[in-house]
Coordinates of all heavy atoms in Angstrom, one line a residue:
E432 N -217.1 -87.4 67.2 CA -216.1 -88.4 66.7 C -216.1 -89.7 67.4 O -215.4 -90.7 67.0 CB -214.7 -87.8 66.8 CG -214.2 -87.5 68.2 CD -214.6 -86.1 68.7 OE1 -215.5 -85.4 68.0 OE2 -214.0 -85.6 69.7
T433 N -217.0 -89.9 68.4 CA -217.0 -91.2 69.1 C -217.5 -92.3 68.2 O -218.5 -92.1 67.4 CB -218.0 -91.1 70.3 OG1 -217.5 -90.1 71.2 CG2 -218.0 -92.4 71.1
N434 N -216.9 -93.5 68.3 CA -217.4 -94.7 67.6 C -218.5 -95.3 68.4 O -218.3 -96.1 69.3 CB -216.3 -95.7 67.4 CG -216.7 -96.9 66.6 OD1 -217.8 -97.0 66.1 ND2 -215.8 -97.9 66.5
I435 N -219.8 -94.9 68.0 CA -220.9 -95.4 68.8 C -221.1 -96.9 68.7 O -221.7 -97.5 69.6 CB -222.2 -94.6 68.4 CG1 -222.0 -93.1 68.7 CG2 -223.4 -95.1 69.0 CD1 -223.1 -92.2 68.2
Q436 N -220.6 -97.5 67.7 CA -220.7 -98.9 67.6 C -220.2 -99.7 68.8 O -220.7 -100.8 69.1 CB -220.0 -99.4 66.3 CG -220.3 -100.8 65.9 CD -221.8 -101.1 65.5 OE1 -222.5 -100.1 65.1 NE2 -222.3 -102.2 65.9
L437 N -219.2 -99.1 69.4 CA -218.6 -99.7 70.6 C -219.6 -99.8 71.8 O -219.4 -100.6 72.7 CB -217.3 -99.0 71.1 CG -216.1 -98.9 70.1 CD1 -215.1 -98.0 70.6 CD2 -215.6 -100.3 69.9
F438 N -220.6 -98.9 71.8 CA -221.5 -98.8 72.9 C -222.9 -99.6 72.6 O -223.7 -99.6 73.4 CB -221.8 -97.4 73.2 CG -220.6 -96.6 73.7 CD1 -219.7 -96.0 72.8 CD2 -220.4 -96.5 75.1 CE1 -218.6 -95.3 73.3 CE2 -219.3 -95.8 75.5 CZ -218.4 -95.2 74.6
V439 N -223.0 -100.1 71.4 CA -224.2 -100.8 71.0 C -224.5 -102.0 71.9 O -223.6 -102.8 72.2 CB -224.2 -101.2 69.5 CG1 -225.3 -102.2 69.2 CG2 -224.2 -100.0 68.6
G440 N -225.7 -102.1 72.4 CA -226.0 -103.2 73.3 C -226.0 -102.8 74.8 O -226.4 -103.6 75.6
L441 N -225.4 -101.6 75.1 CA -225.3 -101.2 76.5 C -226.7 -100.6 76.9 O -227.4 -100.0 76.2 CB -224.2 -100.2 76.7 CG -222.8 -100.7 76.5 CD1 -221.8 -99.6 76.8 CD2 -222.5 -101.9 77.4
R442 N -227.0 -100.8 78.2 CA -228.3 -100.3 78.7 C -228.1 -98.9 79.2 O -227.1 -98.4 79.7 CB -228.7 -101.2 80.0 CG -228.9 -102.6 79.7 CD -229.5 -103.3 80.9 NE -228.6 -103.2 82.0 CZ -227.6 -104.0 82.3 NH1 -227.3 -105.0 81.4 NH2 -226.8 -103.9 83.4
V443 N -229.2 -98.1 78.9 CA -229.3 -96.7 79.4 C -230.6 -96.6 80.2 O -231.6 -97.4 80.0 CB -229.3 -95.7 78.3 CG1 -227.9 -95.7 77.6 CG2 -230.4 -96.0 77.2
H444 N -230.7 -95.6 81.1 CA -231.9 -95.4 81.9 C -232.4 -94.0 81.6 O -231.6 -93.1 81.5 CB -231.6 -95.5 83.4 CG -231.3 -96.9 83.8 ND1 -230.1 -97.5 83.7 CD2 -232.2 -97.9 84.4 CE1 -230.1 -98.7 84.2 NE2 -231.4 -99.0 84.6
L445 N -233.7 -93.9 81.3 CA -234.4 -92.7 81.1 C -234.8 -92.1 82.4 O -235.2 -92.9 83.4 CB -235.6 -92.8 80.2 CG -235.3 -92.9 78.7 CD1 -234.5 -94.1 78.3 CD2 -236.6 -92.8 77.9
S446 N -234.8 -90.8 82.6 CA -235.2 -90.2 83.8 C -236.7 -90.4 84.1 O -237.1 -90.2 85.3 CB -234.9 -88.7 83.8 OG -235.5 -88.0 82.8
T447 N -237.4 -90.8 83.1 CA -238.8 -91.1 83.3 C -239.1 -92.6 83.8 O -240.2 -93.0 84.0 CB -239.6 -90.9 82.0 OG1 -238.9 -91.5 81.0 CG2 -239.8 -89.4 81.7

Side-chain angles (χ1 to χ4, degrees):
E432 60 271 17
T433 300
N434 181 5
I435 296 176
Q436 192 62 33
L437 297 174
F438 295 86
V439 168
L441 295 183
R442 298 186 302 275
V443 293
H444 288 85
L445 279 64
S446 58
T447 48

